[in-house]
């Protein structure tokens, strides 16, 4: 291999060229720039790149091998040794959860709770997009997104979600997080410094709003969705909601609350951000409720993502924004990046155009419905007194535990049985101890695994079997009498 390495030597330095190479490599290893196992260029290649004698590099490498920094193996080249002691660098993220133990059943929501990716369909669409792409497709993409994808998104969102938007109203982004970040950057220009969020809701979303410089204001959610009366009393002028399938409770925003929410936005000259996070994964009889945005496209910003229906690793999302917001969003984005990767956009456009995305969603819906049914049945059998709240949709379920249940005890006991699950407390800004719950991701597990994981949950907390009473005359009974 013709490997390269960023390295400079100064011929006017009093240090020899060999010493300079040795010192540089040592410092890069110590700083964590050259990681254990990194393969270095051959002595001949590095000497040619530096325009020095090969013997200079051979001597430097040889000394570093002798000192234990590098290792050389026949046919494998020269590498940084694997066993160097070093301090791991931990990069905190928005959803950083710290150390996660290895378990057999992981019931958390998030990136791990995703069904199989449609590899063959995606590969075929990517290949078609690549073959059809002209030179302009390899240039910097338009800030608003590739025209082909915006056209297909407008068609798809209108057909499936009832979104009222022309291609010119759409902005392609790198997932909902970027959409929210852009909105948080623009809203202060409109006099908005506080953003209401659902409670319970996504804890990372509250943190994201706060770190973007705005104040998150929790607003309670009940069986009809967000409490619009409580929202009005906060005095805020912007709110982020999940109306079709509230996260995490799963309840749908009632028609009365939908109308009231749009009326509130008009009255306060405010904005509603509709986070349609789980796409069209709907298991109830009848159609999924249409987008809230269609009630007032001038007040509701619609945001969707491919994270739940394809994969979060694609970092692909979209926003249908009113003209009053779209221009500022584009200008704000221009100060931070140069658009979303174009070839992925073109491949997704082809997936939509060809009907393969619809076919994938049908398979995904059938799979998700089957696994949701398995979860509901397992809860009925093994967790008596527990209610599966909300509509049947998406990739997770909210389990309301029997009153008086010690939620923390259930979570800890489950972990001891190799089941990792989140309690509802972590999703609340204002937690009430009389509302114990579990938030269960189920989309990634087969039915048998869901059943077994829930069965193990049933062996802790209020469902655990009490210790058996000793039979008269048994050793245990005798022991009891001795200590009485």
């Amino acid at each position: 291999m013709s490997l390269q390495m960023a390295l400079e030597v100064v011929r006017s330095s009093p240090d020899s060229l060999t010493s300079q190479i040795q010192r540089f490599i040592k410092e890069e290893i110590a700083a964590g720039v050259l990681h254990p196992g990194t393969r270095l260029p051959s002595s001949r290649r590095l000497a040619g790149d530096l325009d020095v004698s090969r013997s200079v590099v051979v001597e430097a490498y040889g000394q570093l091998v002798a000192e234990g920094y590098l290792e050389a193996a026949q046919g494998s080249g020269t590498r940084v040794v694997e066993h160097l002691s070093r301090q791991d660098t931990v990069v905190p993220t928005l959803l950083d959860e710290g150390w996660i133990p290895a378990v057999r059943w992981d019931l958390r929501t998030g990136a791990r709770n995703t069904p199989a990716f449609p590899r063959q369909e995606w590969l075929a669409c990517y290949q078609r997009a690549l073959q059809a792409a002209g030179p302009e497709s390899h240039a910097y993409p338009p800030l608003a997104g590739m025209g082909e994808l915006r056209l297909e998104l407008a068609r798809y969102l209108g057909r499936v979600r009832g979104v009222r938007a022309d291609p010119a109203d759409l902005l392609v982004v790198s997932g909902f997080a970027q959409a929210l970040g852009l909105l948080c950057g623009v809203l202060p220009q409109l006099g908005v410094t506080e953003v209401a969020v659902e409670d319970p809701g996504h804890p990372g979303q509250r943190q994201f709003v706060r770190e973007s410089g705005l104040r998150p204001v929790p607003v309670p959610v009940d069986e009809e969705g967000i409490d619009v009366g409580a929202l009005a009393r906060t005095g805020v002028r912007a709110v982020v909601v999940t109306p079709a399938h509230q996260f995490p409770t799963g309840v749908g925003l009632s028609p009365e609350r939908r109308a009231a929410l749009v009326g509130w936005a008009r009255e306060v000259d405010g904005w509603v951000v509709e986070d349609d996070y789980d796409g069209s994964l709907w298991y109830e009889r009848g159609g999924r409720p249409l987008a809230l945005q269609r009630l007032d496209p001038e007040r509701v910003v619609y945001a969707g993502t491919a994270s739940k229906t394809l994969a979060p690793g694609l970092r692909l999302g979209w926003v249908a924004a009113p003209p009053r917001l779209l221009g500022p969003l584009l200008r704000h984005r221009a100060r931070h990046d140069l658009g979303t990767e174009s070839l992925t956009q073109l491949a997704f456009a082809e997936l939509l155009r060809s009907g393969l995305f619809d076919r994938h969603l049908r398979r995904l819906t059938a799979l998700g419905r089957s696994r949701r049914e398995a979860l509901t049945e397992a809860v009925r059998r093994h967790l008596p007194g527990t209610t599966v709240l909300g509509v049947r949709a998406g990739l997770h379920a909210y389990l309301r535990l029997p009153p008086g249940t010690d939620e923390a005890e259930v979570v800890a006991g489950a972990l001891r049985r190799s089941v990792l699950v989140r309690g509802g407390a972590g999703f609340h800004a204002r937690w009430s101890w009389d509302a114990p719950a579990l938030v269960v991701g189920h989309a990634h597990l087969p039915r048998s695994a869901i059943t077994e994981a829930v069965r193990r949950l049933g062996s802790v907390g209020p469902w655990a079997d009490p210790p058996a009473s000793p039979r008269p005359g048994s050793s245990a009974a005798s022991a009891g009498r001795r200590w009485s």
Side-chain angles (χ1 to χ4, degrees):
M1 291 186 181
S2 299
L3 300 177
Q4 294 179 318
M5 183 167 67
L7 193 157
E8 274 190 351
V9 293
V10 180
R11 286 172 169 75
S12 60
S13 171
D15 294 333
S16 68
L17 297 176
T18 298
S19 296
Q20 291 183 51
I21 295 172
Q22 289 176 9
R23 184 173 62 251
F24 177 85
I25 293 176
K26 284 182 181 180
E27 290 174 350
E28 294 295 274
I29 291 174
V33 178
L34 289 177
H35 299 273
T38 300
R39 186 173 177 180
L40 303 187
S42 68
S43 57
R44 187 184 305 278
R45 169 60 61 181
L46 185 57
D49 290 343
L50 298 176
D51 193 22
V52 299
S53 169
R54 184 187 176 195
S55 62
V56 169
V57 180
V58 169
E59 183 180 351
Y61 277 5
Q63 184 61 35
L64 291 169
V65 169
E67 294 179 17
Y69 287 91
L70 303 180
E71 57 187 2
Q74 186 68 30
S76 297
T78 304
R79 299 175 184 270
V80 179
V81 297
E82 293 277 6
H83 61 272
L84 283 178
S85 62
R86 68 191 190 284
Q87 183 176 358
D88 290 336
T89 301
V90 178
V91 181
T93 65
L94 176 63
L95 301 179
D96 182 39
E97 297 169 327
W99 177 76
I100 300 299
V103 294
R104 185 171 180 184
W105 295 278
D106 188 345
L107 301 183
R108 291 173 298 156
T109 60
R112 301 164 188 82
N113 182 39
T114 52
F117 183 75
R119 297 173 184 271
Q120 292 184 345
E121 291 91 339
W122 182 260
L123 182 62
C125 290
Y126 200 96
Q127 187 172 20
R128 286 181 215 155
L130 197 59
Q131 289 173 340
E136 68 282 356
S137 300
H138 299 281
Y140 290 109
L143 273 180
M146 301 296 286
E148 296 91 332
L149 178 55
R150 294 162 70 195
L151 173 62
E152 295 303 327
L153 278 173
R155 291 170 174 171
Y156 173 79
L157 295 174
R159 171 170 59 87
V160 176
R161 302 295 294 115
V163 172
R164 295 180 177 176
D166 293 327
D169 301 323
L170 292 170
L171 170 63
V172 180
V173 292
S174 299
F176 180 74
Q178 186 182 39
L180 184 58
L182 292 173
L183 286 164
C184 287
V186 166
L187 287 174
Q189 302 173 22
L190 305 173
V192 176
T193 58
E194 299 175 318
V195 176
V197 293
E198 296 170 323
D199 185 19
H202 200 302
Q205 197 175 87
R206 293 195 298 269
Q207 178 185 342
F208 193 94
V209 170
R210 184 180 299 108
E211 293 183 352
S212 296
L214 278 69
R215 175 174 171 259
V217 179
V219 177
V221 169
D222 59 25
E223 283 75 7
E224 292 188 69
I226 192 167
D227 185 337
V228 181
L231 171 65
R233 290 191 290 273
T234 65
V236 304
R237 291 178 46 224
V239 61
V240 181
V241 294
T242 49
H245 184 227
Q246 200 274 333
F247 185 85
T249 66
V251 301
L253 190 63
S254 68
E256 294 77 17
R257 293 275 178 92
R258 284 173 169 251
L261 184 58
V262 170
W264 163 84
R266 293 168 179 161
E267 183 177 342
V268 302
D269 187 24
W271 305 96
V272 177
V273 181
E274 179 179 9
D275 178 9
D276 196 17
Y277 66 97
D278 58 3
S280 299
L281 299 175
W282 190 257
Y283 316 135
E284 297 281 358
R285 293 183 180 273
R288 181 186 179 99
L290 296 177
L292 178 69
Q293 181 262 6
R294 64 186 282 107
L295 297 182
D296 192 341
E298 297 300 313
R299 289 292 173 189
V300 181
V301 181
Y302 176 87
T305 173
S307 294
K308 303 298 185 291
T309 52
L310 288 174
L314 285 179
R315 305 313 306 136
L316 188 60
W318 43 89
V319 175
R324 185 178 166 191
L325 280 181
L326 185 60
L329 286 171
L330 288 171
R331 288 191 293 273
H332 185 70
R333 183 179 194 175
R335 295 196 291 270
H336 295 276
D337 68 35
L338 296 177
T340 304
E341 190 267 309
S342 56
L343 294 178
T344 296
Q345 291 188 59
L346 294 175
F348 186 51
E350 178 61 25
L351 197 69
L352 292 171
R353 182 186 306 115
S354 64
L356 291 175
F357 186 66
D358 284 79
R359 188 171 75 176
H360 166 65
L361 277 183
R362 289 187 182 277
R363 290 197 305 263
L364 203 60
T365 299
L367 184 65
R369 179 183 292 113
S370 173
R371 292 175 175 178
R372 175 61 179 252
E373 290 171 353
L375 176 68
T376 303
E377 175 60 20
V379 168
R380 185 189 66 80
R381 290 176 56 192
H382 301 294
L383 308 181
T386 298
T387 303
V388 183
L389 198 65
V391 296
R392 295 183 302 141
L395 307 178
H396 78 281
Y398 193 82
L399 309 187
R400 179 172 286 169
L401 304 179
T405 301
D406 188 330
E407 178 187 300
E409 178 188 339
V410 172
V411 172
L415 185 58
R416 291 193 294 269
R417 289 156 178 78
S418 203
V419 178
L420 185 57
V421 65
R422 288 187 178 118
F427 297 84
H428 285 256
R430 305 184 184 96
W431 176 240
S432 173
W433 291 106
D434 61 356
L438 298 177
V439 181
V440 176
H442 57 74
H444 60 301
L445 294 174
R447 291 173 61 95
S448 59
I450 294 170
T451 300
E452 177 60 20
V454 174
R455 187 189 70 79
R456 294 204 173 200
L457 280 173
S459 65
V460 300
W463 312 283
D465 293 331
S469 300
R471 295 189 305 274
S474 68
S475 59
S478 302
R481 285 193 296 269
R482 286 195 299 270
W483 288 102
S484 60

